[in-house]
Amino acid sequence: MSSDPLAWETVDRDVVYSCPGFDVVNESVRLPDGTETEFDYVSESESVCVLPFTSDGDVVSIEEWRQAVDRVNRGLPVGGVEPEDDDLEAAARRELREETGHEADELEPLVTVEPANGIADSVLHFFVARGCRPTSDQRLDHNESIRATTLAFDDLLEAVRSGDVRDGRTVLALSYYQLLEATA
């Protein structure tokens, strides 16, 4: 238990719902003032998100049906780290290959974030891939409907600015890339 005076004490923990991809966890907690209450959150494995550039500087993006928002969503390759992945870089390379059919000459870490830590324990590792080129067909999961496309980086940025791209992971990847590249 944390010694920070803001820390909550977990009294009991139960997975109340489980499906492929995530669990819903219910915890009985004691707040710093001694109050006992319940807290629910989504629990999922760590994920990777890849910002893939071709040798021409274009971005390999994906268009994917997203049932929760009932539309095709433009974004970047993203997926969970799997047990057979040797490390995070291997997971990022696998996701890029599976979702786009591309491989990268270089891959470098960009940033790691907790994108929704008020409701989920998600940890998302961002990578920048360079020298991406098509090498194989996509190998999609049974529940994925994805179209790989290539577009100019500035066009993708404009799509974020205009609200055409609303995928949070893509917005974070581009924002961090712009922030860190501008200060490098």
Side-chain angles (χ1 to χ4, degrees):
M1 184 169 146
S2 174
S3 62
D4 191 301
L6 295 177
W8 296 4
E9 176 187 354
T10 302
V11 177
D12 193 26
R13 180 182 189 277
D14 187 33
V15 174
V16 295
Y17 176 78
S18 188
C19 68
F22 66 89
D23 294 332
V24 176
V25 175
N26 171 265
E27 291 184 344
S28 297
V29 296
R30 186 171 298 114
L31 305 180
D33 69 0
T35 303
E36 292 191 11
T37 190
E38 303 290 311
F39 183 77
D40 297 311
Y41 63 93
V42 173
S43 182
E44 63 181 349
S45 66
E46 293 181 84
S47 297
V48 293
C49 177
V50 183
L51 175 56
F53 288 96
T54 66
S55 57
D56 295 334
D58 291 336
V59 177
V60 180
S61 67
I62 62 172
E63 295 172 343
E64 182 173 10
W65 179 259
R66 289 299 192 183
Q67 184 64 25
V69 293
D70 195 36
R71 65 182 174 86
V72 172
N73 190 67
R74 175 172 281 155
L76 298 173
V78 177
V81 176
E82 296 182 0
E84 64 271 11
D85 294 325
D86 292 334
D87 55 27
L88 295 172
E89 181 177 320
R93 287 186 181 279
R94 178 186 47 74
E95 282 298 328
L96 176 62
R97 189 173 46 254
E98 287 177 0
E99 293 192 359
T100 70
H102 286 69
E103 292 194 30
D105 291 336
E106 300 172 34
L107 195 70
E108 60 188 50
L110 179 63
V111 69
T112 296
V113 301
E114 297 169 347
N117 62 17
I119 60 169
D121 66 2
S122 309
V123 176
L124 185 55
H125 305 277
F126 290 90
F127 288 86
V128 176
R130 300 190 193 282
C132 293
R133 67 206 176 288
T135 59
S136 64
D137 292 332
Q138 293 171 296
R139 290 192 299 265
L140 302 176
D141 292 338
H142 75 282
N143 62 349
E144 290 180 316
S145 300
I146 296 176
R147 178 174 42 242
T149 62
T150 304
L151 70 157
F153 179 74
D154 288 342
D155 291 344
L156 186 56
L157 274 179
E158 182 52 37
V160 169
R161 284 186 195 103
S162 70
D164 184 45
V165 169
R166 298 189 303 191
D167 176 71
R169 297 160 305 185
T170 300
V171 172
L172 280 172
L174 292 174
S175 298
Y176 272 106
Y177 181 79
Q178 285 289 94
L179 175 68
L180 298 175
E181 287 295 305
T183 60

